[in-house]
Amino acid sequence: MTSGSPALAHVRGRVDRALQTFASQQSGVLLAAGEALRPGAESIAGLLASGKRLRPAFCYWGWRGAGGPDCPEIINAAAALELLHAGALVHDDLMDASDTRRGQPSVHRQFEARHAARRWHGSAGVFGMGMAILLGDLLICWTDEMFHASGLPGEALRRGRPVLDRMRTEVFAGQYLDLLGQATGDESVAGALRVVEFKTTKYTIERPLHLGAALASALADPAAAGGTAGSGVESRDGGMAGAGASLAAAYTAYGLPLGVAFQLRDDILGVFGDPAQTGKPAGDDIREGKRTVLLAIARARATAGQAQVIDRYLGDPLLDEAGTEEIRAAITATGAVEECERMIGRHVGEAIAALDGAPMSGEAREALAELAVTATARDG
Amino acid sequence: MTSGSPALAHVRGRVDRALQTFASQQSGVLLAAGEALRPGAESIAGLLASGKRLRPAFCYWGWRGAGGPDCPEIINAAAALELLHAGALVHDDLMDASDTRRGQPSVHRQFEARHAARRWHGSAGVFGMGMAILLGDLLICWTDEMFHASGLPGEALRRGRPVLDRMRTEVFAGQYLDLLGQATGDESVAGALRVVEFKTTKYTIERPLHLGAALASALADPAAAGGTAGSGVESRDGGMAGAGASLAAAYTAYGLPLGVAFQLRDDILGVFGDPAQTGKPAGDDIREGKRTVLLAIARARATAGQAQVIDRYLGDPLLDEAGTEEIRAAITATGAVEECERMIGRHVGEAIAALDGAPMSGEAREALAELAVTATARDG
């Protein structure tokens, strides 16, 4: 999904290094509390060592598009989003009872195994759960720490802060809707798209772009530093006013269709993806009974026989290779995959077109157009 | 524990109102994502409606002691600590499988019951866990949001920020050590005290005081506004330098013994407390097998017969009233309760003495002396 992308390559290595530096500093703080914290610090460092860095890339290019210069401070601030993401993933894997993440055992499984191997007291599962909750909490808290220690001027941070706040409330609200939808058995395409809007579109694309733009707005308008810029509502919803508003609107117009395309690609990979690429076992989404747009479309289009196959395997924790092949064939036969591919193409086109005429540099426009294709490519 | 305390009463009502205002504003953000989020918003509002507000009180009096004026902005910033605390409690109750909190069902039990009553799909327990993780995450994130929107000047927030960061890393590190100690069966007094240092002393008393002082240091020294005040290390470890350093040291000297006294009182209440006062069922700590200093002392002093009784009931999830009475009698017979009461008295005395000669106003000194007694009183 991310190989050979200049727009991503421009950010990724520097984000990796910023995270490594931050993780190593935080490891020092943890070990000062006790050597016993080393496995926790190592687990976090391992988790932060990989990742596509899409959210930092959107934040960075959102900043560049708003006239911000290439500098280490924006890389630090953008990298902070990966801490939030890593924390959310640790908690997500726990909620989904996922065994793997980025090709490694998930954090709760790591500590469960540690407990079991040492024959400690109590339940290994409860211990793994507790550790995953705590380490996820730490990562989520560290988002703010890295953001505020990024080195960006105070006025930039002050303007970016409400966007970061909104982004976090939205992503957890989206997860809440997702969990609730699974419980109530909501199988509508509309319900699935609502979850996508909050869990993916806003969180992965729109808010990172807005964050970059809000941070840069302080530089573009230094006279406002220290002033009471913007109304509360505008500030909360994008951190921008005046000239910046049309850029923020362009980012939204780019982010909304791209988020849907991104999620559709994720849905397809979750069912058809190669474990070597996804870092997850084949058919994991089916085994978890994940309520995706792909499946909602497949259900809506399915014949009685296809629906029977889908219902038989969806959410079956013991799904084997033969069953995976059977449900894959049924989903493909409904035409849902083709329809999703068409939707992806159309949405990516819409995203790129939304950048036309937006008040931004040519370099940022090209980078975002390229990122739209990269983030939704088949070779994920 | 808190009735009739002027130092607490001075803060508590205003913190309650600030939290109510914030919760109602955030509820609007959540409901904008979907009406389905209402039960989540209500659960959070219910949790924030009560609480002793000790951490905000220490933050407030830490600010006043450093020369900060009485104003709504410091109340907002101090109240933000209750969001962190509420989030940590939601996650803590989940890890401990606690049924109640502040006299109400714990958050995971609320959603478990909701799922069961509506006969939704999947496991009610897993649903309750997921919701508790997400709502706890939201509360933890909102700490930063309320802190930065407190209305305090940017320079004050910039100085307070590293203290808040350190405080959070420490509390989760302390919980990690606690969980690990329970798993490995560490029954030493030293191990229990190490957990107390991070989970209670620093988190409840020392860091809130330091936070207040760091926030106030920007007002006392306005010339430094916008400058690069303090070295990274000093700033991270208390947010203060120069004249403020001796006040920070006095707060530490006050906080360390008081934290131990506070935890000892909590240990005693966890075994002997009246459910009407604690908001928890009688003997809850015994049922959970909580590794407390009281129990470590009791074990160290126990005769073979007393040890047998303690070991029989400790960590028994089915402990009934008769068993509770029996283990209470055994613990009392070891003399551990009397020893803990003596330790509480001595530590509170040390805490109050540490304020003598500290560079602070008489009013703040009196308030902190009174808070030391209030926070560790028997009528918790």
PDB file of all heavy atoms in Angstrom, chain B residues 199-226:
ATOM      1  N   LYS B 199       1.239   4.884  42.803  1.00  0.00           N
ATOM      2  CA  LYS B 199      -0.199   4.906  42.577  1.00  0.00           C
ATOM      3  C   LYS B 199      -0.902   5.949  43.431  1.00  0.00           C
ATOM      4  O   LYS B 199      -1.954   6.441  43.068  1.00  0.00           O
ATOM      5  CB  LYS B 199      -0.812   3.526  42.887  1.00  0.00           C
ATOM      6  CG  LYS B 199      -0.989   2.655  41.668  1.00  0.00           C
ATOM      7  CD  LYS B 199      -1.772   1.393  41.986  1.00  0.00           C
ATOM      8  CE  LYS B 199      -3.252   1.611  42.155  1.00  0.00           C
ATOM      9  NZ  LYS B 199      -4.005   0.325  42.179  1.00  0.00           N
ATOM     10  N   THR B 200      -0.335   6.241  44.617  1.00  0.00           N
ATOM     11  CA  THR B 200      -1.051   7.123  45.528  1.00  0.00           C
ATOM     12  C   THR B 200      -0.308   8.415  45.827  1.00  0.00           C
ATOM     13  O   THR B 200      -0.799   9.506  45.572  1.00  0.00           O
ATOM     14  CB  THR B 200      -1.352   6.386  46.847  1.00  0.00           C
ATOM     15  OG1 THR B 200      -2.016   5.176  46.537  1.00  0.00           O
ATOM     16  CG2 THR B 200      -2.218   7.241  47.751  1.00  0.00           C
ATOM     17  N   THR B 201       0.899   8.284  46.382  1.00  0.00           N
ATOM     18  CA  THR B 201       1.597   9.475  46.855  1.00  0.00           C
ATOM     19  C   THR B 201       1.798  10.501  45.757  1.00  0.00           C
ATOM     20  O   THR B 201       1.377  11.655  45.860  1.00  0.00           O
ATOM     21  CB  THR B 201       2.973   9.086  47.421  1.00  0.00           C
ATOM     22  OG1 THR B 201       2.756   8.163  48.471  1.00  0.00           O
ATOM     23  CG2 THR B 201       3.701  10.301  47.935  1.00  0.00           C
ATOM     24  N   LYS B 202       2.456  10.076  44.698  1.00  0.00           N
ATOM     25  CA  LYS B 202       2.768  11.021  43.633  1.00  0.00           C
ATOM     26  C   LYS B 202       1.489  11.445  42.926  1.00  0.00           C
ATOM     27  O   LYS B 202       1.274  12.630  42.661  1.00  0.00           O
ATOM     28  CB  LYS B 202       3.745  10.386  42.641  1.00  0.00           C
ATOM     29  CG  LYS B 202       5.158  10.256  43.218  1.00  0.00           C
ATOM     30  CD  LYS B 202       6.096   9.628  42.212  1.00  0.00           C
ATOM     31  CE  LYS B 202       7.521   9.574  42.736  1.00  0.00           C
ATOM     32  NZ  LYS B 202       8.110  10.917  42.911  1.00  0.00           N
ATOM     33  N   TYR B 203       0.644  10.484  42.638  1.00  0.00           N
ATOM     34  CA  TYR B 203      -0.538  10.741  41.818  1.00  0.00           C
ATOM     35  C   TYR B 203      -1.589  11.577  42.548  1.00  0.00           C
ATOM     36  O   TYR B 203      -2.188  12.489  41.967  1.00  0.00           O
ATOM     37  CB  TYR B 203      -1.126   9.389  41.389  1.00  0.00           C
ATOM     38  CG  TYR B 203      -2.467   9.465  40.728  1.00  0.00           C
ATOM     39  CD1 TYR B 203      -2.643  10.176  39.549  1.00  0.00           C
ATOM     40  CD2 TYR B 203      -3.564   8.809  41.282  1.00  0.00           C
ATOM     41  CE1 TYR B 203      -3.882  10.234  38.946  1.00  0.00           C
ATOM     42  CE2 TYR B 203      -4.804   8.855  40.681  1.00  0.00           C
ATOM     43  CZ  TYR B 203      -4.963   9.571  39.511  1.00  0.00           C
ATOM     44  OH  TYR B 203      -6.192   9.635  38.913  1.00  0.00           O
ATOM     45  N   THR B 204      -1.818  11.262  43.812  1.00  0.00           N
ATOM     46  CA  THR B 204      -2.910  11.934  44.528  1.00  0.00           C
ATOM     47  C   THR B 204      -2.476  13.249  45.165  1.00  0.00           C
ATOM     48  O   THR B 204      -3.254  14.194  45.264  1.00  0.00           O
ATOM     49  CB  THR B 204      -3.488  10.996  45.614  1.00  0.00           C
ATOM     50  OG1 THR B 204      -3.909   9.796  44.983  1.00  0.00           O
ATOM     51  CG2 THR B 204      -4.663  11.627  46.343  1.00  0.00           C
ATOM     52  N   ILE B 205      -1.230  13.310  45.600  1.00  0.00           N
ATOM     53  CA  ILE B 205      -0.835  14.464  46.418  1.00  0.00           C
ATOM     54  C   ILE B 205       0.326  15.259  45.814  1.00  0.00           C
ATOM     55  O   ILE B 205       0.190  16.441  45.502  1.00  0.00           O
ATOM     56  CB  ILE B 205      -0.480  13.987  47.845  1.00  0.00           C
ATOM     57  CG1 ILE B 205      -1.685  13.212  48.417  1.00  0.00           C
ATOM     58  CG2 ILE B 205      -0.134  15.177  48.739  1.00  0.00           C
ATOM     59  CD1 ILE B 205      -1.374  12.392  49.631  1.00  0.00           C
ATOM     60  N   GLU B 206       1.466  14.605  45.648  1.00  0.00           N
ATOM     61  CA  GLU B 206       2.663  15.361  45.261  1.00  0.00           C
ATOM     62  C   GLU B 206       2.520  16.049  43.898  1.00  0.00           C
ATOM     63  O   GLU B 206       2.783  17.256  43.777  1.00  0.00           O
ATOM     64  CB  GLU B 206       3.876  14.421  45.250  1.00  0.00           C
ATOM     65  CG  GLU B 206       5.192  15.145  45.016  1.00  0.00           C
ATOM     66  CD  GLU B 206       6.351  14.173  44.815  1.00  0.00           C
ATOM     67  OE1 GLU B 206       6.122  12.950  44.778  1.00  0.00           O
ATOM     68  OE2 GLU B 206       7.499  14.661  44.670  1.00  0.00           O
ATOM     69  N   ARG B 207       2.126  15.299  42.870  1.00  0.00           N
ATOM     70  CA  ARG B 207       2.041  15.896  41.527  1.00  0.00           C
ATOM     71  C   ARG B 207       0.933  16.933  41.397  1.00  0.00           C
ATOM     72  O   ARG B 207       1.137  17.965  40.742  1.00  0.00           O
ATOM     73  CB  ARG B 207       1.913  14.816  40.458  1.00  0.00           C
ATOM     74  CG  ARG B 207       3.130  13.906  40.327  1.00  0.00           C
ATOM     75  CD  ARG B 207       4.420  14.676  40.126  1.00  0.00           C
ATOM     76  NE  ARG B 207       5.546  13.764  39.955  1.00  0.00           N
ATOM     77  CZ  ARG B 207       6.823  14.123  40.040  1.00  0.00           C
ATOM     78  NH1 ARG B 207       7.158  15.382  40.326  1.00  0.00           N
ATOM     79  NH2 ARG B 207       7.777  13.245  39.864  1.00  0.00           N
ATOM     80  N   PRO B 208      -0.247  16.714  41.999  1.00  0.00           N
ATOM     81  CA  PRO B 208      -1.235  17.802  41.957  1.00  0.00           C
ATOM     82  C   PRO B 208      -0.711  19.091  42.601  1.00  0.00           C
ATOM     83  O   PRO B 208      -0.928  20.190  42.074  1.00  0.00           O
ATOM     84  CB  PRO B 208      -2.431  17.224  42.727  1.00  0.00           C
ATOM     85  CG  PRO B 208      -2.343  15.755  42.470  1.00  0.00           C
ATOM     86  CD  PRO B 208      -0.859  15.450  42.480  1.00  0.00           C
ATOM     87  N   LEU B 209       0.009  18.978  43.728  1.00  0.00           N
ATOM     88  CA  LEU B 209       0.606  20.167  44.352  1.00  0.00           C
ATOM     89  C   LEU B 209       1.627  20.811  43.420  1.00  0.00           C
ATOM     90  O   LEU B 209       1.644  22.037  43.233  1.00  0.00           O
ATOM     91  CB  LEU B 209       1.299  19.779  45.664  1.00  0.00           C
ATOM     92  CG  LEU B 209       0.393  19.469  46.866  1.00  0.00           C
ATOM     93  CD1 LEU B 209       1.201  18.766  47.960  1.00  0.00           C
ATOM     94  CD2 LEU B 209      -0.247  20.751  47.406  1.00  0.00           C
ATOM     95  N   HIS B 210       2.497  19.976  42.839  1.00  0.00           N
ATOM     96  CA  HIS B 210       3.510  20.498  41.910  1.00  0.00           C
ATOM     97  C   HIS B 210       2.867  21.151  40.700  1.00  0.00           C
ATOM     98  O   HIS B 210       3.355  22.158  40.189  1.00  0.00           O
ATOM     99  CB  HIS B 210       4.432  19.368  41.440  1.00  0.00           C
ATOM    100  CG  HIS B 210       5.455  18.975  42.459  1.00  0.00           C
ATOM    101  ND1 HIS B 210       6.294  17.896  42.302  1.00  0.00           N
ATOM    102  CD2 HIS B 210       5.780  19.514  43.661  1.00  0.00           C
ATOM    103  CE1 HIS B 210       7.085  17.789  43.354  1.00  0.00           C
ATOM    104  NE2 HIS B 210       6.796  18.753  44.192  1.00  0.00           N
ATOM    105  N   LEU B 211       1.775  20.546  40.242  1.00  0.00           N
ATOM    106  CA  LEU B 211       1.083  21.116  39.083  1.00  0.00           C
ATOM    107  C   LEU B 211       0.581  22.516  39.401  1.00  0.00           C
ATOM    108  O   LEU B 211       0.808  23.462  38.625  1.00  0.00           O
ATOM    109  CB  LEU B 211      -0.077  20.206  38.662  1.00  0.00           C
ATOM    110  CG  LEU B 211      -0.919  20.687  37.470  1.00  0.00           C
ATOM    111  CD1 LEU B 211      -0.056  20.878  36.223  1.00  0.00           C
ATOM    112  CD2 LEU B 211      -2.054  19.709  37.175  1.00  0.00           C
ATOM    113  N   GLY B 212      -0.068  22.664  40.556  1.00  0.00           N
ATOM    114  CA  GLY B 212      -0.540  23.984  40.959  1.00  0.00           C
ATOM    115  C   GLY B 212       0.603  24.984  41.045  1.00  0.00           C
ATOM    116  O   GLY B 212       0.499  26.125  40.563  1.00  0.00           O
ATOM    117  N   ALA B 213       1.716  24.560  41.639  1.00  0.00           N
ATOM    118  CA  ALA B 213       2.871  25.455  41.787  1.00  0.00           C
ATOM    119  C   ALA B 213       3.479  25.811  40.439  1.00  0.00           C
ATOM    120  O   ALA B 213       3.854  26.968  40.199  1.00  0.00           O
ATOM    121  CB  ALA B 213       3.920  24.798  42.682  1.00  0.00           C
ATOM    122  N   ALA B 214       3.579  24.823  39.542  1.00  0.00           N
ATOM    123  CA  ALA B 214       4.158  25.085  38.215  1.00  0.00           C
ATOM    124  C   ALA B 214       3.278  26.061  37.432  1.00  0.00           C
ATOM    125  O   ALA B 214       3.782  26.967  36.760  1.00  0.00           O
ATOM    126  CB  ALA B 214       4.323  23.777  37.439  1.00  0.00           C
ATOM    127  N   LEU B 215       1.963  25.883  37.523  1.00  0.00           N
ATOM    128  CA  LEU B 215       1.042  26.794  36.842  1.00  0.00           C
ATOM    129  C   LEU B 215       1.203  28.217  37.380  1.00  0.00           C
ATOM    130  O   LEU B 215       1.250  29.188  36.626  1.00  0.00           O
ATOM    131  CB  LEU B 215      -0.407  26.321  37.024  1.00  0.00           C
ATOM    132  CG  LEU B 215      -0.795  25.010  36.324  1.00  0.00           C
ATOM    133  CD1 LEU B 215      -2.164  24.515  36.812  1.00  0.00           C
ATOM    134  CD2 LEU B 215      -0.801  25.172  34.802  1.00  0.00           C
ATOM    135  N   ALA B 216       1.318  28.325  38.712  1.00  0.00           N
ATOM    136  CA  ALA B 216       1.426  29.650  39.338  1.00  0.00           C
ATOM    137  C   ALA B 216       2.775  30.298  39.069  1.00  0.00           C
ATOM    138  O   ALA B 216       2.900  31.531  39.115  1.00  0.00           O
ATOM    139  CB  ALA B 216       1.183  29.540  40.840  1.00  0.00           C
ATOM    140  N   SER B 217       3.800  29.499  38.795  1.00  0.00           N
ATOM    141  CA  SER B 217       5.141  30.069  38.615  1.00  0.00           C
ATOM    142  C   SER B 217       5.182  31.032  37.434  1.00  0.00           C
ATOM    143  O   SER B 217       6.000  31.952  37.406  1.00  0.00           O
ATOM    144  CB  SER B 217       6.182  28.958  38.421  1.00  0.00           C
ATOM    145  OG  SER B 217       6.024  28.344  37.152  1.00  0.00           O
ATOM    146  N   ALA B 218       4.312  30.832  36.465  1.00  0.00           N
ATOM    147  CA  ALA B 218       4.290  31.730  35.308  1.00  0.00           C
ATOM    148  C   ALA B 218       3.774  33.112  35.700  1.00  0.00           C
ATOM    149  O   ALA B 218       4.173  34.118  35.121  1.00  0.00           O
ATOM    150  CB  ALA B 218       3.415  31.146  34.202  1.00  0.00           C
ATOM    151  N   LEU B 219       2.886  33.152  36.701  1.00  0.00           N
ATOM    152  CA  LEU B 219       2.339  34.440  37.136  1.00  0.00           C
ATOM    153  C   LEU B 219       3.347  35.178  37.993  1.00  0.00           C
ATOM    154  O   LEU B 219       3.520  36.384  37.887  1.00  0.00           O
ATOM    155  CB  LEU B 219       1.064  34.217  37.954  1.00  0.00           C
ATOM    156  CG  LEU B 219       0.012  33.308  37.319  1.00  0.00           C
ATOM    157  CD1 LEU B 219      -1.210  33.243  38.198  1.00  0.00           C
ATOM    158  CD2 LEU B 219      -0.348  33.796  35.929  1.00  0.00           C
ATOM    159  N   ALA B 220       4.040  34.419  38.844  1.00  0.00           N
ATOM    160  CA  ALA B 220       5.014  35.023  39.742  1.00  0.00           C
ATOM    161  C   ALA B 220       6.181  35.598  38.960  1.00  0.00           C
ATOM    162  O   ALA B 220       6.844  36.513  39.417  1.00  0.00           O
ATOM    163  CB  ALA B 220       5.509  33.983  40.738  1.00  0.00           C
ATOM    164  N   ASP B 221       6.403  35.054  37.786  1.00  0.00           N
ATOM    165  CA  ASP B 221       7.592  35.412  37.010  1.00  0.00           C
ATOM    166  C   ASP B 221       7.187  35.708  35.574  1.00  0.00           C
ATOM    167  O   ASP B 221       7.590  35.024  34.650  1.00  0.00           O
ATOM    168  CB  ASP B 221       8.571  34.215  37.067  1.00  0.00           C
ATOM    169  CG  ASP B 221       9.857  34.488  36.302  1.00  0.00           C
ATOM    170  OD1 ASP B 221      10.156  35.673  36.052  1.00  0.00           O
ATOM    171  OD2 ASP B 221      10.547  33.517  35.959  1.00  0.00           O
ATOM    172  N   PRO B 222       6.355  36.756  35.390  1.00  0.00           N
ATOM    173  CA  PRO B 222       5.814  37.005  34.049  1.00  0.00           C
ATOM    174  C   PRO B 222       6.892  37.347  33.036  1.00  0.00           C
ATOM    175  O   PRO B 222       6.698  37.165  31.845  1.00  0.00           O
ATOM    176  CB  PRO B 222       4.858  38.175  34.265  1.00  0.00           C
ATOM    177  CG  PRO B 222       5.319  38.847  35.516  1.00  0.00           C
ATOM    178  CD  PRO B 222       5.944  37.788  36.355  1.00  0.00           C
ATOM    179  N   ALA B 223       8.048  37.834  33.502  1.00  0.00           N
ATOM    180  CA  ALA B 223       9.119  38.227  32.580  1.00  0.00           C
ATOM    181  C   ALA B 223       9.600  37.036  31.769  1.00  0.00           C
ATOM    182  O   ALA B 223      10.087  37.178  30.654  1.00  0.00           O
ATOM    183  CB  ALA B 223      10.290  38.821  33.355  1.00  0.00           C
ATOM    184  N   ALA B 224       9.431  35.834  32.365  1.00  0.00           N
ATOM    185  CA  ALA B 224       9.927  34.634  31.690  1.00  0.00           C
ATOM    186  C   ALA B 224       8.978  34.163  30.599  1.00  0.00           C
ATOM    187  O   ALA B 224       9.300  33.265  29.846  1.00  0.00           O
ATOM    188  CB  ALA B 224      10.131  33.514  32.704  1.00  0.00           C
ATOM    189  N   ALA B 225       7.806  34.790  30.535  1.00  0.00           N
ATOM    190  CA  ALA B 225       6.812  34.340  29.555  1.00  0.00           C
ATOM    191  C   ALA B 225       7.404  34.350  28.160  1.00  0.00           C
ATOM    192  O   ALA B 225       8.001  35.322  27.739  1.00  0.00           O
ATOM    193  CB  ALA B 225       5.576  35.233  29.607  1.00  0.00           C
ATOM    194  N   GLY B 226       7.257  33.250  27.448  1.00  0.00           N
ATOM    195  CA  GLY B 226       7.788  33.149  26.095  1.00  0.00           C
ATOM    196  C   GLY B 226       9.251  32.762  26.055  1.00  0.00           C
ATOM    197  O   GLY B 226       9.770  32.440  25.010  1.00  0.00           O
TER     198      GLY B 226
END
